[in-house]
Structure formats: structure tokens, C-alpha cells
């Protein structure tokens, strides 16, 4: 297959490009590298069947055909990134998604949208099944991301219903692993970087809020299964239902890194969801997908990767963000 991966220079996208190439597909990676990194793709450059196109998918996405599948992952994804790139996030969720859908429609290709657990907002239903419609503040600091993804889901659904495009939606829950940017501001990358540098681990609020962390290899298997499931619209939750408090995660990282770092508390950002855990029965039933890597093992692999990196570099970000979140 010839698969177009938008956002293929990012954390998840680069793993997806690699997995597709490994099984013999041809890959066109389209990315403007606004939050992605060239070094994520360095090992793929020159590989047979791999092509990188530096482009902003909100402007155009014109890839020579035939294209057999489009995986649309382009979007800033960490809270500090999407606050910093607020308008770009709305644009890539709307115009970017439409350009990616048009490309898929042109060639009768399978289209897979990387949506997010953030469509559930601060969920009033726990755990979250796909039937739940969510609890999102449309004008809060997270809205540029949440509403962009909700619009992207609506647009994807309309292309399917009105134009017959073969679309599918996956809702990805917090995923971690090698190639997260050490300064992306997400909790796993912050804690590991801080622990390895001997800095205090910054727990926002009292750390009683929960997330369910999925290892990247598991997640990529789920996206591949969705690409390979023509006709299935989803949405499917893809995530690891093992739920942890942020405090538990901090303790686990301290133990696994044998770090002397202490834990400090910082203010909880506005609208930070209190809890989050996927119901994955649908993905298990229809895609035969379920996560296999326990968090201890996934974190061990991630810590090993972080240890191997050059001194971490930061993207330019203000000292504090609009939501009062300490910048990475
Ligand atoms: P990431 O920031 O590492 O990767 C996103 C990629 O998209 C980057 O390479 C970036 O440069 C690219 N991009 C952004 N806007 C673009 C544009 N206009 N044109 C071209 N490229 C553009 O983030 P990630 O964690 O790899 O997330 C990938 C996708 O998965 C995103 O759509 C995100 O919303 C979704 N997702 C991720 C998670 C997670 O835990 N990692 C959870 C839920 C959903
Ligand atoms: N968080 C934290 N310390 C950090 C970074 C994040 O306590 O250094 C918290 C954050 O407030 C949230 C959880 O960890 O409750 C997950 O944050 P992340 O940004 O990774 O993902 P999201 O909020 O999008 O689920």
C-alpha cells in the first residue's frame, strides 16, 4: 500500500511510518515540523519506499497517487504546544483534516483520523465508552485542541455519510514512549527528564487526577489495525485501561530511574481533566486490539531511550502559559 502519514515527523507519526515501512508499505510523510523533529525521521531517510514532504497540511496536501490510505496525525498534541500554537491547532483540525479527507476521497483511499480522549473533556462519565459525548469547555484553554478534534470527527463523519469516503476514527488516550520531546511539557516526558536531571518532579495540583497511559508500540498496532479495516467507521478508543494517579506516576518514575529528585507541587492548570480511563471493548471486539505492555515495562524502555539522548533541547515557549501552566 501507499500510505500518506500527516504529522509523520512527530512522536506517534514517526513510529507509524516506521511500522508501515517494516511491513513493506510505501510511505509519504507530510509534516511542517512545527512540533515534530527531523531526528525522528533520520533513520528512515533514504529507506526504500519512504518520502518526506515538508508541508503545512492546512495549505494543501497534494500527493501523487495512487494513495491507498491516509493516516491524519498532524496536530500539536501536548497542552503547552497547543496553547502556544492555538490558531495553528484549530487550522490543522479543520482545514488540515479537510485537505487530508479530500486526498483520501480523490483516490478512494482508507482515511484514519487520529482523534483524542480530549473529545470527552473533563468527563462526567467514568470510565469513558465511545457513546459518551463529553464535557468540553468551548472557550477554555484546552478548547483549541478539543474542539478542533471534535470538528475533525464531525467533518470525517460527514465525508463518510455524504460522499462515501471510507473513513475511520480512533480516539487515542495518553500515549508515551521513545521520541517524546523531553521538553514537550507532557507529564511522562517532564517526569523522566526531571528525574534524570535530578530536578524536582512537578506534580500539578495534589496529583490525585488520573490518566491511563498506553505504550507507543501498543498504540501503533491499534492504528495499523484501523488502517487495515476498510469499512469500519469507529470511533474506537485506543488506550490502556490501567489507570494511575499523577502522584503514582511520579513515584514510579522516581523508583525506575533511582532518582533522588523530590516531588514539588505546582498549580493545577485550568480545566485539567480530573480522571480518564478508556473502555476498549469495541476495539477489542472489532479490531482484535488490546494493549500488552504494562506501564512499568513501557516506562523502563522510555527511560532507557531518554538516557541515550543528547542534552534535551527546548522549543521556545513563554515562562508561563495562558492557563497558568508552568511552561516546559
Ligand atoms: P507530535 O506533536 O509529536 O506530532 C504531531 C506532528 O504533526 C508533528 O510532527 C507536527 O510537526 C505535525 N504537524 C502539526 N501541524 C501540522 C501542519 N499544519 N502541517 C503538517 N504537519 C503538522 O504529537 P503526537 O503525540 O505524535 O500526536 C500525533 C497525533 O495523535 C495528534 O493528532 C494528536 O492529537 C493525536 N493524539 C496523541 C496522543 C498522545 O498521547 N501522544 C493522545 C491523543 C491524540
Ligand atoms: N502534569 C503534572 N506535571 C507535569 C505535567 C503534567 O502533574 O509536569 C499533569 C497534568 O496536569 C495532567 C496530567 O499530568 O493532570 C497529564 O498531563 P499531560 O499534559 O501529559 O496530558 P493531558 O493533560 O493532555 O492528559
Amino acid at each position: 500500500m501507499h500510505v500518506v502519514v500527516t504529522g509523520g515527523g512527530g512522536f506517534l507519526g514517526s513510529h507509524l511510518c516506521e511500522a508501515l515501512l517494516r511491513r513493506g508499505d510505501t510511505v509519504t510523510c507530510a509534516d511542517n515540523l512545527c512540533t515534530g523533529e527531523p531526528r525522528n525521521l533520520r533513520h528512515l531517510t533514504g529507506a526504500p519506499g519512504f518520502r518526506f514532504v515538508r508541508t503545512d497540511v492546512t495549505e494543501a496536501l497534494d500527493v501523487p497517487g495512487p494513495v491507498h490510505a491516509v493516516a491524519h496525525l498532524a496536530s500539536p498534541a501536548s497542552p503547552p504546544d497547543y496553547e502556544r500554537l492555538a490558531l495553528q491547532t484549530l487550522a490543522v483540525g479543520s482545514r488540515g483534516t479537510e485537505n487530508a479527507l479530500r486526498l483520501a476521497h480523490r483516490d478512494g483511499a482508507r482515511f484514519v483520523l487520529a482523534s483524542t480522549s480530549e473529545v470527552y473533556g473533563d468527563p462526567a462519565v467514568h470510565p469513558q465508552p465511545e457513546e459518551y459525548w463529553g464535557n468540553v469547555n468551548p472557550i477554555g484553554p484546552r478548547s483549541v485542541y478539543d474542539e478542533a478534534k471534535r470538528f475533525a470527527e464531525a467533518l470525517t463523519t460527514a465525508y463518510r455519510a455524504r460522499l462515501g469516503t471510507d473513513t475511520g476514527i480512533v480516539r487515542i488516550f495518553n500515549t508515551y514512549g521513545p521520541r517524546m520531546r523531553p521538553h514537550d511539557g507532557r507529564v511522562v516526558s517532564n517526569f523522566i527528564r526531571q528525574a534524570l536531571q535530578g530536578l524536582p518532579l512537578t506534580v500539578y495540583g495534589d496529583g490525585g487526577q488520573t490518566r491511563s497511559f498506553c505504550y507507543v508500540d501498543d498504540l501503533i498496532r491499534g492504528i495499523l489495525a484501523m488502517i487495515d479495516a476498510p469499512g469500519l467507521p469507529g470511533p474506537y478508543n485506543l488506550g490502556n485501561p490501567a489507570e494511575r494517579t499523577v502522584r503514582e506516576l511520579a513515584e514510579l518514575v522516581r523508583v525506575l530511574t533511582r532518582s533522588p529528585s523530590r516531588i514539588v507541587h505546582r498549580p493545577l492548570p485550568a480545566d485539567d481533566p480530573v480522571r480518564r480511563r478508556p473502555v476498549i471493548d469495541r476495539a477489542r471486539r472489532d479490531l482484535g486490539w488490546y494493549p500488552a505492555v504494562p506501564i512499568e515495562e513501557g516506562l523502563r524502555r522510555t527511560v532507557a531511550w531518554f538516557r541515550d539522548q543528547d542534552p534535551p533541547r527546548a522549543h521556545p515557549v513563554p515562562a508561563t502559559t495562558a492557563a497558568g501552566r508552568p511552561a516546559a
Side-chain angles (χ1 to χ4, degrees):
M1 291 209 297
H2 174 200
V3 185
V4 174
V5 180
T6 75
F11 162 47
L12 297 182
S14 62
H15 284 278
L16 180 61
C17 290
E18 196 176 309
L20 289 163
L21 288 169
R22 208 181 299 130
R23 69 182 202 175
D25 291 334
T26 296
V27 175
T28 300
C29 164
D31 200 305
N32 65 356
L33 298 179
C34 67
T35 61
E37 298 212 297
R39 67 175 174 172
N40 290 341
L41 300 172
R42 210 168 283 147
H43 63 300
L44 302 180
T45 310
F50 181 71
R51 196 163 75 98
F52 174 72
V53 183
R54 187 160 187 165
T55 184
D56 181 341
V57 301
T58 67
E59 285 166 11
L61 184 58
D62 188 16
V63 176
V67 169
H68 302 109
V70 178
H72 180 44
L73 275 69
S75 171
S78 99
D81 280 346
Y82 60 70
E83 266 191 65
R84 179 170 61 90
L85 299 168
L87 299 181
Q88 292 92 328
T89 303
L90 285 160
V92 78
S94 52
R95 288 198 302 277
T97 302
E98 177 131 44
N99 286 334
L101 278 162
R102 274 204 194 113
L103 176 66
H105 186 71
R106 182 197 75 187
D107 285 7
R110 174 78 169 150
F111 175 88
V112 174
L113 172 69
S115 185
T116 168
S117 53
E118 281 283 326
V119 299
Y120 302 124
D122 187 8
V125 169
H126 191 75
Q128 294 82 55
E130 288 86 349
E131 294 79 14
Y132 178 50
W133 291 352
N135 176 34
V136 171
N137 174 358
I139 54 167
R142 301 174 82 98
S143 63
V144 293
Y145 182 65
D146 300 8
E147 298 293 14
K149 289 290 186 180
R150 288 167 70 97
F151 179 84
E153 288 202 12
L155 193 61
T156 299
T157 305
Y159 261 69
R160 181 178 192 84
R162 303 288 170 204
L163 302 176
T165 315
D166 180 13
T167 65
I169 297 171
V170 290
R171 292 180 180 155
I172 302 169
F173 284 63
N174 298 61
T175 301
Y176 67 97
R179 298 198 200 128
M180 294 186 91
R181 284 184 358 254
H183 283 276
D184 74 0
R186 292 189 255 206
V187 68
V188 173
S189 31
N190 269 6
F191 284 177
I192 294 179
R193 175 179 52 78
Q194 291 161 343
L196 293 181
Q197 294 181 339
L199 299 170
L201 272 59
T202 50
V203 168
Y204 301 163
D206 67 3
Q209 69 272 32
T210 69
R211 294 293 187 273
S212 301
F213 297 99
C214 185
Y215 187 64
V216 62
D217 290 1
D218 283 334
L219 196 273
I220 296 301
R221 273 194 299 107
I223 297 181
L224 290 175
M226 193 58 171
I227 291 173
D228 292 342
L232 284 190
Y236 293 106
N237 287 340
L238 295 182
N240 190 326
E243 184 182 3
R244 304 278 176 149
T245 65
V246 165
R247 222 172 22 234
E248 285 168 342
L249 179 73
E251 284 303 340
L252 196 51
V253 169
R254 275 208 310 186
V255 169
L256 290 173
T257 53
R258 297 201 183 88
S259 171
S261 292
R262 60 199 176 90
I263 288 174
V264 294
H265 291 269
R266 296 282 177 262
L268 190 67
D271 294 347
D272 199 277
V274 174
R275 53 196 184 159
R276 196 183 274 160
R277 171 152 60 101
V279 174
I280 59 165
D281 297 354
R282 265 202 206 180
R284 200 184 269 272
R285 184 193 63 211
D286 294 353
L287 302 174
W289 178 86
Y290 53 90
V293 181
I295 189 161
E296 292 79 6
E297 175 55 25
L299 284 177
R300 234 174 254 123
R301 295 182 202 173
T302 310
V303 167
W305 183 84
F306 270 69
R307 279 193 203 278
D308 280 349
Q309 298 312 296
D310 303 333
R313 284 165 292 142
H315 270 250
V317 283
T320 50
T321 66
R325 176 192 300 273

